[in-house]
Amino acid sequence: MQFVILIVLFGGMMWFMQRNQKKAAAKRQEQLDTMQPGSEIVTIGGLHGILSSVDTAKGTVELDAEGVILTFDRAAVKTVKTPAAADSGVDDVIADAKTDAASAVETADKADSPFE
């Protein structure tokens, strides 16, 4: 009886592990299928760049890394950020920096200098 319970527990554990692996594989495949030019890409080697083109027939992608065009297999892509998500994050940071710089200049103008 104890042996049967052990086998059932082992079988359940294997089923849950397999289910999680299938979910992760489906998520990765969906991510690779939705890649489009302009997306930010990070390869498994750690190279960051902008996706220039996707060749589904050959299974390759062209990555623009600061003016250098590199060709990789689709399997070499680790993470993908969509162009809208990548651009909005950068735009927010730039807008915040401009606001902070403008307020710093105003504060510096208003401050009384001991050298005047």
Side-chain angles (χ1 to χ4, degrees):
M1 184 65 180
Q2 292 176 351
F3 187 68
V4 172
I5 293 173
L6 183 63
I7 289 175
V8 169
L9 287 174
F10 183 72
M13 182 179 69
M14 293 298 289
W15 182 76
F16 279 111
M17 287 174 39
Q18 183 181 21
R19 188 172 141 222
N20 288 339
Q21 287 177 346
K22 282 185 180 180
K23 282 184 180 180
K27 182 180 177 183
R28 174 160 170 72
Q29 187 62 41
E30 186 265 331
Q31 183 181 34
L32 291 176
D33 290 341
T34 59
M35 287 189 302
Q36 55 187 346
S39 300
E40 272 189 48
I41 301 290
V42 179
T43 66
I44 57 175
L47 184 70
H48 295 250
I50 305 296
L51 186 64
S52 295
S53 67
V54 179
D55 187 357
T56 55
K58 292 181 182 179
T60 60
V61 296
E62 286 187 357
L63 189 66
D64 182 4
E66 296 185 10
V68 178
I69 304 296
L70 303 167
T71 303
F72 290 97
D73 287 339
R74 285 182 57 196
V77 175
K78 182 178 179 184
T79 58
V80 178
K81 293 182 185 175
T82 58
D87 290 342
S88 67
V90 171
D91 291 340
D92 291 342
V93 170
I94 292 171
D96 290 343
K98 286 181 180 178
T99 304
D100 291 344
S103 64
V105 168
E106 289 175 9
T107 305
D109 289 342
K110 291 179 184 177
D112 292 330
S113 174
F115 300 108
E116 290 182 352

